[in-house]
Amino acid sequence: MAQCKLTPHEYLQNAFAPQVAILCSEDADNLCLKNNLRFVELIQPFCRLNNEIRIADPSGNTVPIRNLRVVFEDMNRRPPQPTLGKKLLSEVVSTAPWDRPTTRAVGASGTREALELELQPTTPWFEAWRDTFLHVQYPSDHEFTKHYIACIVAVASTSENPMDQLNRLSQYQHQQLHQTPARFPKWFSPNILKFYLLIHDITAGDLTKSEQVFEQMTSMYGSSNCHLLQINSRHSDQTDVHLPDPWSQFLIQRASCEPSGGSSSEASSGTGTPREDVSGLPSRVTEGDTADCCEPIHPLSPTVLSIDEKNGNVDMMPGVEISADVPVMVNRPSLPAGTAQHHGGCLTSSDVDRIRIFVHEFCVRSLIPHVERQIRHLNDVVTNRSRSKSLLSATRRWLVGNKSPGSATNSVIYSPEATELQTRRLGDLCFMFGLYELAYSFYHTAKNDFKSDQAWLYFAGAQEMAALAAFMQNSSDYPKRYLENSLQTYLNVCKVYNFAIRSTLLSSEVLKHCGEYGEAAMMFIKLTSEESDLLSALMLEQAAHCFINSQRPLPRKYAFHMTLAGHRFSKAGQRSHSLRAYKQAFQVYATRGWVLAEDHIHFTLGKQAHHLKQLTEGLEAYNYLVDQRQKENASSQQSPAQQMTYVREFFNTFHQYIQQEWDSSTGVPCLPLPLIDSQETRVLLGAPQDPPTNCEWTAASHVSLDSDEISKDRWFALERELFVKRCSSMVFRPNLQLLTSDTPNTQSPVVPVNEPVVVEVLMKNPLAVSLMISDVRLVFTFEPSSNQEIVGAPVQDTIYPGCNLPAGAQEKVRLELHPQCTGKLLIKGVIYKLCLTPDMTSGVPPGSTTTPVIIEGQQNIEVKGPRLNTTSVEKCSVVYANDKRLEITVMPPMSRLSVIFHDIPQILSCGELCSTDVMITNIGPCPVSKLKLAVSDPNHVYLDIQEAPLPGVHICVLSDSETKDGKITSRTETLALPNGVLNPGDVIKAKLWLHAPMSPGAFDVELLFWYDTLNSPGKIEYRLLRHFSSIYVERSLSLKASSTMSQNLQEFIGHQQENEGVYSYTSNLIIEAHNNSEGVPDLRTSDLRMPADTNEVDSSCSSYTVVGLSGNSGKWAVVPHSNLQGQQLRPGESCHLCVKCVQHAKKGTSGMILSQLHFGSSQVPLNSWWRFSLRERVSLRDLLTDPPPPKPNADHIPPPPTQAQQDAKHIAAVNSLDMVVTVIWKGERGGHETWGQHSVHLKSLGDSVSIPSSPLIQAGEEEKPPIRIIPESPPQILQSPLPPAFKQKHLVKISAHFPDCMEHDFMTNRLCSIEFELCLHNCSACQLTTFLNLCPEGLPNSNGNVSSHVYSPQASTELLYVGGTVRKVNLLPWGHTKVPVRVLINSPGTYSLGVFSVTAIRHEAAKDKYEQPIPQACQLQTAVTVRQVPRGDHHLSHNT
Amino acid sequence: MAVAGNYYFAIVGHHDNPMFEMEFTPANKEPKKEDHRHLNQFIAHAALDLVDESMWTTGNMYLRLVDKFNEWYVSAFVTAGRIRLICLHDVKNDDGIKNFFMEMYETYIKHSMNPFYTPNSPIKSPAFEKKAHFYGRKYLTG
């Protein structure tokens, strides 16, 4: 709290303690020096009276004085010279010990939060400085408190003639007192108290002799003015000293004020007026030398400089001479106290008591009566003269007017006996002896007198003292403005800074006592100046303490002024104070983001600590400057040059620190640079695939640090598919080879022995300074498994040679470890060397010896997993998952696979097929027992070990084993190994088939090989090998296929028809192929115009020929409609193909019918095309979606389908086509034939599918309905499993047999009657009830509406069915019924017979009248032509 | 309108943390030397104590001069949310600073509406900087 040890009252009392001169003979001093003390020092601790004494004021009232302190000074002491005074003050400040700061909470206020600050409770250095400052101050003429009020003449009883000596010294004192011009020392009045002391050495002297001398003394000088002091009761060689050493604290600040005699340098300047003789300072003021006098400095003899070192040999400065009769101390105790010498070695406690008694006697018996006399005397003088004076001063006041202390010069000179001065003297005397009320009135009078005389210095002094006296008297009510005024006067008018400082010191105590901390701070701040750094520093610091101690603490002001103080301390050379001040200030700034301020503080802290050899602290500060890890929000705003300075200083300090203080056994120190992003650390396990020797082959890409990590999830999904196939019960955890912050690293990764571990560390340079890192190594520990012997190093590591990190750059440093035996490998960090990049541009001569400082250190790498957020604890706090990517388990050796590919193409056309050879080799030391493959896109990628050719027949039925093997239904497949095992070194050859997808762009081929080690000992069960290649896919053909239902019934195909009543229905298939490749056909012919583009056209294949067509379906097969020819399509051209599909009856319900048509004679040379067309019908779920959960009860048998469900299935099957139509084409690229195929999947009859879907259609589909988050109406639960009505239109087909053409003689018989049979076929597998309405209402054959046209292009419907016109026909599944009908026609013409409607309903539904019969789309498309028979020729024909 | 002088502007958040800082120097003058930039921060930070005191004495957001250090005057503006806008200036320009504060207040309010901006965190928006620069030129450096 920066409280002083003394209360303000005590302090003020001390500051104005009566001064007593000591004139001591050389013998007496020598006597005392047995105790390592001079006489003055000997009595120093006892100069305060502990008991209360009383003093009488002029009116006779006695006033108690508590704790009267008398200052004893060597009469010959002179205040030190300016330079030395400065040194002394500086030394006092730097040597004063200070307490540990205490923590104090500063409460919140305003917008400020509460702070916990470490504050300095006391500032002993300031107090020491303050005391020293007052001590070294020159007495001035305008005040008398520093003037000697008495003189003690001390002689030793052991000297030759004590009486003579006394006399001589007394004479000397008298001479000094009355010398003209007046010099040092200053005396309070011409009539001072003289006191005579005889010092008797008990061990050396003769007491009786001493007593005789003492008697002589009392008779000569009066008994009250003499004292016999007996000391040195024991010998100095008695070392068992247990007495406390009360002297040491006084000796610390012992001013070595060597007497400099009358001819000392500063005295010589004072000639003429007594005023100038007083002190150097005011004299300079009158000379107008203001620049020089600002320093609060004091003259001090320079002789003190080397005293301590020379141990008593006083080193005299030239020009300093010593009077012969002035005792000179020859043996000075060395400083500081308490370290070397003990004081008072010859004194017993009774000696100490005697000294105490002496001081008390002196005060009570001599000094107080003397002072009382003086006060009375002066009081008389003042009161007598003031009456006569008052008139004069009143007159003058009237004449001059009441001038304020403005710019007036200080020209008034008083004679020493002037009344004004006597008043002041009286005031001082009263003040010194505690008569404050009296003192105030005298001061007040003096103040007014001085003011009217415009003696501003005197005025200011008196005003100040008046205020202080008032304060001492009644501390709550005192004239505050007096203090302010006097300070202003000192500063601005008189420019006597010493007095201004003293005034500040005094009044700030007063203000602090009254709680006016702000005022006190302002007062301190006012005293700061550019000139004196130490003073400014102390003042600023005090101001800072005032800010923090005020009722409403101002910590930010405190911090700012502490910083300023620290700055000034550093300029004043007080490094430790500077360090302390900055540290205390920093607490307020810390972690707020005032980066520039923080940088300044840290830089200063670092500098100061470095100079003070506190390297740890200095390093910490510099560390903060260069460390950017904590400054995510506020990066360094310093200029590169400034950062360079920081970094250089940091390097130097670090270097020194390592050399001097670092204990190398504790490892390598940590470095803050460069920034290492631990989370970015990646670990790659296992060796990369070796490139094959033959350049035509490429190795599998596998996992590398360079590959992008975007598709990581896809690989995991692929692995999971393999994993689930194998052991579905276990929880899947990917087998990681590359561990990053994104991978699940909860398990420690595993690597086989002798395979490398590559660790990639990301180093960033956050600064604007370029750095050089070199010799980067990993720091790791290896713990081998127990049961093995280790030969050599268990782990071999590599060293990264280094690189230059320019400003802001980052570098991926890759380091390899080769474990040689099994165990646990724990990677802890990196160790590296760091230096500044030597500046090439600055042109340092090559011979220069300044090598950059290279420091070595390490940084730990600590990784953490993702933040957890499942349990409530994790949600409420910040918990991270474990991350074990740096804890690697080394396993026994395992098998290792190498896969190489022969020339995977870079570019393909859409739908193109190509194959490439693959060699799979086991290069590991262990055999492989299982080999599996997963491909992300099995519709387009297929690996085949044994080729399975397809029979070249038109239609073949593929068995279940062929169609439903794993290659088609899932992404994974097991590759059969010869003998079941792939031994080390064995090679498998395989073929990789690729089918380019339909959409142009990138085609990613992802292959994941899965293999295990035979009899694998460890927990790692399998290993993985990835391959990835991206192929560019160009546009080629587009395909549109549409199917239509045919009304006709096909003749039975073949003769395997055994199932009675099953017809083969037909449908038509129209296929349009369009070449939409980018090549412009004109370009080839007009390449002169655009030669640049020819390359592009050449590179791709631009014309295609459709060479074949194939379809696969459950029951349909394609048959040629007409003679089909391959047609070459150039870009932009298209062709149509029309084929017929027939239902192909086959045995059993399973199997797949594959039908192929080849145009011309060309035969597809690719064996695998049909697999891809089979795959076309498999739609896999997206790789990244989660697998469907396994069915809870696999044994559960679903209930048998109800009749309605079965019916629905049967009805739905009527419409289904379910055919993959594949068009096989041939193209040419770069002189090579290319083959490809496009497939479309037609699900039901009447569908039309185009591939790739044309952009026009896509554009049309863009208008999408708004997305409803809440459905408008609840989704209707489908009551009936039946397909919608429009899908049930083809349940029934109708055929009829009658002649196309017939003749009838209408002349004879107006009506022609045709009788035939309608045959109703049930196309479904469920029983149907059919209503045949031969005379429907809504049909356009209504009788009344006879066409007026003479000619009608359509067949006429003007006919009439007769007989039963509405028939109900039951149709068995697949059954057919013949219905005889009869038609009447009344005129010749062509008649369409299909003028009836058919509705059908399921037999079951017909019973309960629940559903409506559904109209059927079957129309009898046939027409009959009836001609008029020529006359005579008529016969009627009937159909059979 | 404004007298050419040097200005330092800072927005200070609830934890005495600088959220935004900018210096304005007249176009024709050399920018101040680098090594004194930290002084601005020191002065601005120290003035917060006086801002806290004087904001209770007035109902206005604009507090006018609150502190002075050497040649620097400190003017302040406290928003309703106790965000403090501090301006250091070496010339008197009361109206200009007031207008500048008002504009910056509005700009800040708009910026703080951004749901992606965490209140009380450093403002790193080029648009905000541009605005500050613009208003600085308009009202301060002229």
Side-chain angles (χ1 to χ4, degrees), chain A residues 111 113 556-557 594 637, chain B residues 15-16 37 52 67 84:
Chain A
T111 60
E113 304 159 314
R556 293 168 283 210
K557 283 267 171 204
W594 301 92
Q637 296 179 7
Chain B
H15 309 297
D16 286 4
R37 283 191 336 191
D52 280 3
D67 199 4
R84 288 154 292 179

Side-chain angles (χ1 to χ4, degrees), chain A residues 109-113 552-560 563-564 588-589 592-598 600-601 632-633 637-639, chain B residues 8 10 12 14-18 21 34 37-39 41-46 48-50 52-53 55-56 67 69 82 84 122 124:
Chain A
S109 97
T111 60
R112 180 171 52 74
E113 304 159 314
R552 263 189 307 189
L554 306 172
R556 293 168 283 210
K557 283 267 171 204
Y558 162 78
F560 182 42
T563 314
L564 291 172
V588 180
Y589 293 104
R592 301 254 190 250
W594 301 92
V595 278
L596 291 173
E598 284 183 35
H600 168 77
I601 291 174
E632 296 290 327
N633 268 341
Q637 296 179 7
Q638 302 290 353
S639 63
Chain B
Y8 164 81
V12 184
H14 293 147
H15 309 297
D16 286 4
N17 50 320
E21 294 176 86
E34 285 275 313
R37 283 191 336 191
H38 61 265
L39 197 61
Q41 290 195 342
F42 277 118
I43 297 169
H45 183 262
L48 294 177
D49 270 327
L50 296 181
D52 280 3
E53 285 198 346
M55 72 183 188
W56 304 109
D67 199 4
F69 180 79
R82 298 280 181 269
R84 288 154 292 179
K124 289 173 179 166

